[in-house]
Amino acid sequence: MRQKRYFLQESDLPRQWYNIQADMKNKPMQMLNPATHEPLKAEDLYPIFAEELCRQELDTTCRWTEIPEEVLQMYTYYRSTPLVRAYGLEKELDTPAHIYFKNESVSPVGSHKLNSAIPQAYYCKKEGVRNVTTETGAGQWGTALSYAAKAFGLEAAVYQVKISYEQKPYRKSMMQVFGAQVTPSPSMSTRAGKDILTRTPNHQGSLGTAISEAIELARMTPDCKYTLGSVMNHVTLHQTIIGLEAEKQMEMAGEYPDVVIACFGGGSNFGGISFPFLRHNILDGKKTRFVAAEPASCPKLTKGQFGYDFGDESGYTPLLPMFTLGHDFAPANIHAGGLRYHGAGVIASQLLKDGLIEAVDIMQLDTFKAGCMFAKAEGIIPAPESCHAIAATIQEALRCKYEGKSEVLLFNLSGHGLVDMASYDQYLAGNLVNFSY
Amino acid sequence: MRQKRYFLQESDLPRQWYNIQADMKNKPMQMLNPATHEPLKAEDLYPIFAEELCRQELDTTCRWTEIPEEVLQMYTYYRSTPLVRAYGLEKELDTPAHIYFKNESVSPVGSHKLNSAIPQAYYCKKEGVRNVTTETGAGQWGTALSYAAKAFGLEAAVYQVKISYEQKPYRKSMMQVFGAQVTPSPSMSTRAGKDILTRTPNHQGSLGTAISEAIELARMTPDCKYTLGSVMNHVTLHQTIIGLEAEKQMEMAGEYPDVVIACFGGGSNFGGISFPFLRHNILDGKKTRFVAAEPASCPKLTKGQFGYDFGDESGYTPLLPMFTLGHDFAPANIHAGGLRYHGAGVIASQLLKDGLIEAVDIMQLDTFKAGCMFAKAEGIIPAPESCHAIAATIQEALRCKYEGKSEVLLFNLSGHGLVDMASYDQYLAGNLVNFSY
């Protein structure tokens, strides 16, 4: 029998997260305090995030961070996730490429987001916080944070992007089952939300608006911190558990990736699977390519500008040096809600600038076509976000076929699409369209 | 760290299914040909099922059946499923019981149903069949069969119980993504459906009506066989992979179950996890209890009659010796669509008659209460069907607490509820009610 899936024993789980900044020759430019335009200090972030997360955010030198025992224990609820050889997809494409995917969809909440929700909730709890707030797009992050908050005995308030709240009502139900309060954003419950709705009465929301509202609530509420599902360095740090596991699992399979692919919203799932392999490009002369797949309608990596910008709509965050479409960019209503974000994380932005990673933009209809092909071939219905990674992987696999090369492709299946079936319904009915930038 | 999950290596996967009939002192009574009232012969079933499945159906003596290599290979796509220690639920209940669950929800289609869909599609393909039909209630079986059919290059036509088709529209979408044709039952597309709708114009459908329609379509279509998700012996045979894995995994955990619990619709998930352990009661003097959890509104085990009855609404199936509420029983519209079936499988019926297994009936509101508690404690939102098993497990765990006993409880988490969030929505909004028999 051909081996299909590779797991790690609990005793072989990685016990540290990896910080690629320690190995980067060109470090990312410093984040700035928006009030002073001075380089950001950890203390500047204390009103928003748990202190240990602020330390992690600004740590550019420490290569490895110990994963706390309590976090590791929670990781064992679903980790290691399987590394899977996509024999079905290879056969369907008739490609000589070897296609692997890291299946993060087996997390109990359905995506990789739990990898950072657990440590964020843990550090908040450890520092005496009792309430957490956050934003969510498609709802994958909000669901993860809601469950992690419950696991550590915290109350959670989630601002969900309004268009996703309406397109994907069952994500809201999941968060409510886990005991969270969910509000569609922009809302009238915050100053930021009121201002946005005054300017644009029919605003459908974006991750930028929801972040503004969640930060404001955290600042205004005692014993309350904000948590974030992507973009920031500490989130990507936690997500490196994906790539660190995959590294060991690829070794079990006796292979090493020529191309690593992930979808790109703020960059945490992309960085999570890529950075542990990218360090071998930097340190050991490996030549792996790293491909970020973004929506054609929200193409900050392929068509954005590099410069300082805010991470949210209302300018509550630090100024971040990043590829951006502008913090007031209103993305088209594509179904990949988790990718509807104007900017790219600071580390990924620097790596793109330096040519260490690549980006490709994909049209919405191509993503669902890829998702349906993958579902039939592998049995797993992917999240609309993950469909971007699959579409990019199919492009690479067809290139390998054309060139007659047996390259090893690895992509991150960041989540399943079982709560996104309304989107598939519309695709199958021919009601979806492409959006350009 | 406490070990949370137990996996088998691919090389340790069971390679045979277990037929408990070989070890039963009182064999089940024979099924009857409905036309002649003579004992059923395998040939009588050939017009409906693949021939190897007919052989398995009537095989009462062969203890072990080899799992074909192609089926084993497909099993490796998701098996072994994890055996999980429910530390979170134990803590929530403050019980001395050790609670384990077999997590069948990690199957790509979200439930244990794939365990039988794969071999059924495989045997059909091997015997030259090109089309398969089936019924589905909540849609878990239909989804599994749709994917398995696609994997073996077969066309699938699925009759879905009308009330579930409406309550759970996204199961239909999943089946369509896998390329299946889905029709709500009763429909006007078959003679059986027309007759039912003529008698009862607003009939909401049941597994009984959908089975009639699917069998009729299979009989009327060339190169077409019917497949079934539960009730029949061969389905339960395939599902014993669950218990056979669990047996090895409990050994890894150094424990043996005092109580094994599963929800009960037709009996295949219950038999699947129970029968491999029950054989040690029969052969080795173990004293494990086996508890089938059924809906209070569809209580064939606790309130049904034992006798010969049809498996479907229209009388197309053999006459089965079973506990039944009558083949024209119309179950209340509970959200656990997979348990809305009038009869119990032949083997389980005999075992209940002989006192080798037990049954308990559960009210709908108690099932969702249990499901929400489990979701908060373990992070997994269970299918409404599985909530019955969880509610029964909680009862046992609280008994252990009252009696001060550290018993080992094992239940089957047959599926997740991510496509059932509309049901949870209604529960959380206070819109669900209990239904009595």
Side-chain angles (χ1 to χ4, degrees):
Chain A
M1 266 198 316
R2 306 177 302 185
Q3 184 150 4
K4 174 79 179 168
R5 301 190 306 158
Y6 300 86
F7 282 99
L8 300 178
Q9 297 293 323
E10 281 188 13
S11 53
D12 288 333
L13 285 182
R15 304 183 75 89
Q16 299 170 314
W17 294 302
Y18 170 63
N19 180 3
I20 196 172
Q21 293 177 90
D23 292 321
M24 287 167 70
K25 279 172 201 151
N26 296 336
K27 306 276 183 205
M29 289 160 61
Q30 290 184 299
M31 295 180 249
L32 302 180
N33 182 318
T36 62
H37 282 226
E38 293 291 314
L40 192 76
K41 295 194 291 285
E43 304 88 270
D44 298 338
L45 295 173
Y46 286 177
I48 304 181
F49 295 112
E51 293 187 7
E52 170 60 17
L53 296 170
C54 302
R55 191 200 65 69
Q56 291 175 7
E57 185 59 33
L58 294 176
D59 179 355
T60 59
T61 55
C62 175
R63 182 175 288 122
W64 300 104
T65 298
E66 290 295 319
I67 303 175
E69 194 69 15
E70 293 87 340
V71 172
L72 263 182
Q73 183 72 65
M74 286 285 292
Y75 275 174
T76 65
Y77 275 45
Y78 63 103
R79 309 206 68 86
S80 67
T81 62
L83 176 78
V84 188
R85 176 80 181 265
Y87 290 115
L89 186 60
E90 289 175 19
K91 188 176 161 200
E92 182 64 30
L93 295 169
D94 188 24
T95 176
H98 294 193
I99 305 177
Y100 291 85
F101 62 93
K102 183 72 168 155
N103 187 0
E104 291 292 306
S105 81
V106 301
S107 131
V109 298
S111 82
H112 70 292
K113 293 293 190 187
L114 199 50
N115 302 335
S116 186
I118 291 169
Q120 290 192 49
Y122 165 77
Y123 290 121
C124 284
K125 176 70 179 183
K126 198 178 163 200
E127 295 177 18
V129 171
R130 280 158 46 182
N131 305 282
V132 287
T133 74
T134 198
E135 86 297 333
T136 196
Q140 299 266 26
W141 166 250
T143 309
L145 195 272
S146 298
Y147 168 56
K150 177 56 64 180
F152 287 104
L154 306 171
E155 297 298 317
V158 181
Y159 286 94
Q160 183 171 19
V161 176
K162 192 187 282 175
I163 182 72
S164 291
Y165 185 90
E166 287 161 5
Q167 279 176 344
K168 301 168 201 268
Y170 298 143
R171 288 274 176 210
K172 173 202 64 181
S173 318
M174 289 177 71
M175 294 185 254
Q176 288 171 337
V177 166
F178 291 131
Q181 280 207 315
V182 189
T183 308
S185 170
S187 77
M188 297 300 279
S189 72
T190 63
R191 171 73 182 261
K194 278 178 205 161
D195 287 351
I196 293 163
L197 286 170
T198 304
R199 281 200 308 276
T200 315
N202 286 322
H203 201 298
Q204 295 293 293
S206 68
L207 286 167
T209 70
I211 292 172
S212 293
E213 293 204 87
I215 290 180
E216 183 178 321
L217 182 65
R219 280 185 170 164
M220 298 300 186
T221 312
D223 281 340
C224 184
K225 295 288 179 187
Y226 169 66
T227 64
L228 185 72
S230 189
V231 186
M232 303 295 278
N233 298 340
H234 65 271
V235 184
T236 306
L237 177 76
H238 305 151
Q239 294 294 355
T240 58
I241 188 79
I242 303 171
L244 293 166
E245 283 182 5
E247 205 186 331
K248 294 187 179 195
Q249 290 166 309
M250 289 298 302
E251 201 177 319
M252 291 166 75
E255 307 228 58
Y256 191 87
D258 295 299
V259 190
V260 175
I261 300 157
C263 65
F264 198 103
S268 77
N269 111 74
F270 173 79
I273 193 162
S274 295
F275 293 171
F277 290 102
L278 182 50
R279 89 177 188 276
H280 296 300
N281 277 25
I282 298 173
L283 301 178
D284 310 324
K286 292 274 190 191
K287 305 278 188 203
T288 301
R289 291 170 51 220
F290 298 90
V291 179
E294 66 180 2
S297 58
C298 194
K300 59 244 175 194
L301 296 174
T302 53
K303 300 199 178 66
Q305 301 288 323
F306 184 87
Y308 276 101
D309 196 6
F310 291 107
D312 70 320
E313 176 93 9
S314 299
Y316 288 166
T317 68
L319 282 162
L320 307 174
M322 62 182 181
F323 280 92
T324 174
L325 299 166
H327 67 274
D328 57 354
F329 175 71
N333 293 337
I334 57 168
H335 285 258
L339 308 184
R340 297 176 70 252
Y341 184 69
H342 66 280
V346 165
I347 300 172
S349 290
Q350 184 65 41
L351 292 169
L352 182 68
K353 203 155 159 267
D354 291 341
L356 293 170
I357 63 173
E358 312 166 30
V360 59
D361 62 328
I362 317 249
M363 285 288 189
Q364 174 158 271
L365 291 179
D366 291 334
T367 67
F368 279 95
K369 185 178 173 192
C372 287
M373 177 189 278
F374 181 77
K376 286 177 184 152
E378 297 290 330
I380 304 166
I381 297 178
E385 292 81 5
S386 311
C387 287
H388 288 71
I390 296 169
T393 301
I394 290 173
Q395 286 180 7
E396 293 290 334
L398 292 177
R399 175 188 58 73
C400 288
K401 183 177 175 180
Y402 179 75
E403 297 176 354
K405 289 185 181 164
S406 299
E407 290 183 20
V408 176
L409 314 179
L410 167 65
F411 75 88
N412 195 34
L413 184 71
S414 53
H416 64 63
L418 297 181
V419 193
D420 303 285
M421 292 314 300
S423 309
Y424 279 92
D425 254 1
Q426 291 192 36
Y427 171 71
L428 292 175
N431 293 335
L432 287 195
V433 295
N434 281 329
F435 293 96
S436 301
Y437 174 55
Chain B
M1 268 197 317
R2 306 177 301 186
Q3 184 149 3
K4 173 80 179 167
R5 300 190 307 157
Y6 300 86
F7 282 99
L8 300 178
Q9 296 293 322
E10 281 187 13
S11 54
D12 288 333
L13 284 182
R15 304 182 74 90
Q16 299 169 312
W17 295 302
Y18 170 64
N19 180 3
I20 195 171
Q21 292 177 90
D23 292 321
M24 286 168 70
K25 281 172 201 150
N26 297 335
K27 308 276 182 204
M29 289 159 63
Q30 291 183 297
M31 296 180 247
L32 303 180
N33 181 316
T36 63
H37 281 227
E38 292 292 313
L40 192 75
K41 294 193 291 288
E43 305 87 89
D44 298 339
L45 295 173
Y46 286 178
I48 305 180
F49 295 112
E51 293 187 8
E52 169 61 17
L53 296 170
C54 302
R55 191 201 65 71
Q56 291 175 6
E57 184 60 31
L58 293 176
D59 178 354
T60 59
T61 56
C62 175
R63 183 175 286 121
W64 300 103
T65 298
E66 290 296 318
I67 304 174
E69 193 71 15
E70 293 86 340
V71 172
L72 263 182
Q73 183 72 65
M74 286 285 293
Y75 275 174
T76 64
Y77 277 46
Y78 63 103
R79 307 206 69 86
S80 68
T81 63
L83 175 78
V84 188
R85 177 79 183 265
Y87 290 116
L89 185 61
E90 290 175 17
K91 187 175 163 202
E92 182 64 29
L93 295 168
D94 189 24
T95 176
H98 294 193
I99 305 176
Y100 291 84
F101 61 94
K102 183 74 169 155
N103 187 2
E104 292 292 306
S105 80
V106 301
S107 131
V109 297
S111 82
H112 71 292
K113 292 292 188 187
L114 199 51
N115 302 335
S116 187
I118 290 169
Q120 290 193 50
Y122 165 76
Y123 290 121
C124 284
K125 176 70 176 182
K126 198 177 164 203
E127 296 178 15
V129 172
R130 280 155 49 183
N131 304 283
V132 287
T133 73
T134 198
E135 85 298 332
T136 195
Q140 299 266 25
W141 166 249
T143 309
L145 196 271
S146 299
Y147 167 57
K150 177 56 65 183
F152 288 103
L154 306 171
E155 297 298 316
V158 182
Y159 287 93
Q160 183 171 19
V161 176
K162 192 186 281 173
I163 181 73
S164 292
Y165 185 91
E166 286 161 5
Q167 279 176 345
K168 301 169 200 269
Y170 298 143
R171 289 275 176 209
K172 174 203 62 181
S173 319
M174 290 177 71
M175 294 184 254
Q176 288 171 337
V177 166
F178 292 131
Q181 281 206 314
V182 189
T183 309
S185 171
S187 76
M188 296 299 278
S189 72
T190 63
R191 172 75 183 260
K194 279 179 204 161
D195 287 351
I196 292 163
L197 286 170
T198 305
R199 282 200 309 275
T200 316
N202 286 321
H203 202 297
Q204 295 292 294
S206 68
L207 286 167
T209 69
I211 292 173
S212 293
E213 294 205 87
I215 291 181
E216 184 180 321
L217 183 64
R219 280 183 170 166
M220 299 299 186
T221 311
D223 283 340
C224 184
K225 295 289 179 187
Y226 169 65
T227 63
L228 186 73
S230 189
V231 187
M232 303 295 279
N233 298 340
H234 65 272
V235 184
T236 306
L237 177 75
H238 306 151
Q239 294 295 355
T240 58
I241 188 80
I242 302 172
L244 293 167
E245 282 182 6
E247 206 186 329
K248 294 186 179 195
Q249 290 166 309
M250 290 298 303
E251 202 176 318
M252 290 166 74
E255 306 228 58
Y256 191 88
D258 295 298
V259 190
V260 175
I261 300 157
C263 64
F264 199 103
S268 77
N269 111 74
F270 174 79
I273 193 162
S274 294
F275 293 172
F277 290 103
L278 181 51
R279 88 177 188 276
H280 297 300
N281 277 24
I282 298 173
L283 302 176
D284 310 324
K286 292 274 190 192
K287 305 278 187 205
T288 301
R289 291 170 52 220
F290 299 90
V291 179
E294 65 180 4
S297 58
C298 193
K300 60 245 175 193
L301 297 174
T302 53
K303 300 200 178 65
Q305 300 289 321
F306 184 86
Y308 276 101
D309 196 6
F310 291 107
D312 70 320
E313 175 93 9
S314 300
Y316 289 166
T317 68
L319 283 163
L320 307 173
M322 62 182 184
F323 281 92
T324 174
L325 299 165
H327 66 275
D328 57 353
F329 175 71
N333 293 337
I334 56 168
H335 285 258
L339 308 184
R340 296 176 70 252
Y341 185 69
H342 65 279
V346 166
I347 300 172
S349 290
Q350 185 65 41
L351 292 168
L352 182 68
K353 205 155 156 267
D354 291 341
L356 294 169
I357 64 173
E358 312 166 28
V360 60
D361 63 328
I362 317 247
M363 285 287 189
Q364 174 158 272
L365 291 178
D366 291 334
T367 67
F368 278 96
K369 185 177 172 193
C372 288
M373 177 188 278
F374 181 76
K376 286 177 184 151
E378 297 289 331
I380 304 166
I381 298 180
E385 292 81 6
S386 312
C387 288
H388 289 71
I390 296 170
T393 302
I394 290 173
Q395 288 180 6
E396 293 290 333
L398 293 177
R399 175 188 58 73
C400 289
K401 182 177 178 179
Y402 179 75
E403 296 175 357
K405 288 184 180 165
S406 300
E407 290 183 20
V408 176
L409 313 179
L410 167 65
F411 75 89
N412 196 34
L413 184 70
S414 52
H416 64 62
L418 297 182
V419 193
D420 304 285
M421 293 314 301
S423 309
Y424 279 92
D425 254 3
Q426 291 192 35
Y427 171 71
L428 292 174
N431 293 335
L432 287 195
V433 296
N434 281 330
F435 293 96
S436 300
Y437 174 55

